[in-house]
Amino acid sequence: MNQLEVYLFVALVMFCLGLLGVLQHRSLIAMLISVELMLNAASINFMAFNRFLTPEPAVGQIVTLFIIGTAAAEAAVGLSIILAVFRRYQSIDVEKARELKG
């Protein structure tokens, strides 16, 4: 259970589920959650490579903290966009947001 391949497989499954969620859902909230799942998969990859392959333990942790900060900023911006779309169209369906094009 303590092998690199196990962590990479878990990250791969999480990334694929996130990608599937982005491609299949029409709700903006579900798409935002799916993107968060993909970012968490990337964090698991960085931590696994940090644990098993690099001699310096702080590099992977710093990159993971950067990913967490980026994910928090992405969630804040994404939620504000979703609120703006909901106020205008009374729905968070992606199909209705296509009208936002100039």
Side-chain angles (χ1 to χ4, degrees), residues 67-84:
I67 289 173
I68 291 171
T70 304
E74 174 259 337
V77 171
L79 285 175
S80 64
I81 291 172
I82 291 169
L83 279 175

Side-chain angles (χ1 to χ4, degrees), residues 46-90:
F46 276 112
M47 290 304 293
F49 282 120
N50 178 48
R51 165 75 169 81
F52 291 103
L53 298 180
T54 62
E56 180 64 36
V59 175
Q61 295 170 2
I62 291 171
V63 171
T64 300
L65 287 175
F66 181 74
I67 289 173
I68 291 171
T70 304
E74 174 259 337
V77 171
L79 285 175
S80 64
I81 291 172
I82 291 169
L83 279 175
V85 168
F86 182 75
R87 284 182 183 161
R88 181 167 174 100
Y89 297 106
Q90 300 299 318

Side-chain angles (χ1 to χ4, degrees), residues 3-15 44-45:
Q3 295 179 348
L4 177 62
E5 292 83 16
V6 174
Y7 292 103
L8 293 180
F9 181 73
V10 169
L12 175 70
V13 169
M14 285 177 62
F15 188 84
I44 288 175
N45 271 344

